[in-house]
Amino acid sequence: MRRFHPYLSAIALTVCSPAFANNEDGSYTLQNAPVQSEIAMLCAFENKCLDAEACNNTTFSLELKGRAGGLNDVDVVVQAELISEIGDTILPGARSGEAMSLSGGTFDARHLLTIANDGYARYTMHYSDGPIAISYLGAFS
């Protein structure tokens, strides 16, 4: 079973941004990259882990909506909105093949979403208040 769409791959945002321009200076942006695709993904998480405590079952889910773009359809830059019941945030990142890594948020709440080639995912939120980290384990469909 395929866990997520084949057009979601990326290169590191900091590496690709200068190379992706096709503006007057010959550079590309995410909006004018030769290869572009929309991102629409759902992830259902099965486990929630709070710092050093044991993991527990959960029904937490999130949605990713955004855009990917690059010079080919394998390695692309990604900018997606993570939408969930705990709040929404913009996550820039990269995809290579089927694997993707996105991160963002505020100083008080940093978000990291990592998706493996097989669609399994880990979503971690790091809060400065505490500090505390919460991880969710699941899969994209």
Side-chain angles (χ1 to χ4, degrees):
M1 177 167 103
R2 189 165 201 82
R3 299 282 182 177
F4 62 99
H5 303 289
Y7 58 80
L8 299 175
S9 87
I11 296 177
L13 184 61
T14 56
V15 173
C16 295
S17 294
F20 278 23
N22 193 8
N23 298 318
E24 292 178 17
D25 63 356
S27 61
Y28 289 104
T29 65
L30 186 57
Q31 290 72 32
N32 68 358
V35 176
Q36 297 183 32
S37 60
E38 295 294 319
I39 294 173
M41 300 170 63
L42 297 173
C43 187
F45 293 96
E46 301 166 354
N47 293 298
K48 175 182 179 179
C49 308
L50 180 62
D51 276 339
E53 296 178 15
C55 295
N56 295 300
N57 292 337
T58 189
T59 58
F60 178 71
S61 63
L62 63 81
E63 182 177 6
L64 280 181
K65 288 186 176 182
R67 186 144 201 82
L71 299 176
N72 60 59
D73 62 354
V74 177
D75 296 317
V76 295
V77 172
V78 175
Q79 176 140 350
E81 181 177 17
L82 183 147
I83 303 163
S84 76
E85 63 195 43
I86 59 174
D88 304 342
T89 190
I90 300 296
L91 301 177
R95 184 188 73 138
S96 183
E98 301 295 329
M100 186 166 32
S101 179
L102 305 170
S103 65
T106 65
F107 177 78
D108 294 334
R110 298 297 300 166
H111 303 259
L112 173 61
L113 176 63
T114 305
I115 306 167
N117 280 321
D118 59 8
Y120 285 98
R122 176 182 299 267
Y123 171 53
T124 304
M125 294 171 296
H126 296 251
Y127 294 101
S128 61
D129 188 22
I132 190 170
I134 302 170
S135 291
Y136 292 91
L137 305 170
F140 275 87
S141 58

